[in-house]
Amino acid sequence: MADANPEPIATFCGDCNCGCPQLFLDPEAPEDRRVRITDDFGQQVQMSEEQFADLVAQAKAGALDRLTAASA
């Protein structure tokens, strides 16, 4: 896995020092693993930019709204 210098894109939470989940773009990684999402437990998910674009499109279309309704 290429860990050279992934570019941080976003931090989710950021209100503490607990190791909040983050989104990275690693242009040096293989094409199918350039987008990386880490959690606060040290785990990560890697995907292609196309897969991430699909995730964002589905989120914008409301596919994930029910996950946030409970916290609203």
Side-chain angles (χ1 to χ4, degrees), residues 7 15 58 69:
E7 176 186 352
D15 294 331
Q58 288 188 44

Side-chain angles (χ1 to χ4, degrees), residues 1-60:
M1 172 176 65
D3 268 339
N5 289 310
E7 176 186 352
I9 303 297
T11 299
F12 308 103
C13 178
D15 294 331
C16 60
N17 292 321
C18 64
C20 300
Q22 290 185 283
L23 173 67
F24 295 92
L25 178 63
D26 188 351
E28 301 296 319
E31 191 172 308
D32 63 338
R33 297 179 179 210
R34 288 198 177 140
V35 176
R36 183 181 313 162
I37 301 173
T38 62
D39 69 13
D40 48 350
F41 302 106
Q43 301 297 310
Q44 65 181 4
V45 173
Q46 294 174 283
M47 65 187 78
S48 69
E49 291 177 70
E50 291 81 16
Q51 289 170 318
F52 184 70
D54 183 57
L55 178 112
V56 169
Q58 288 188 44
K60 286 181 177 181

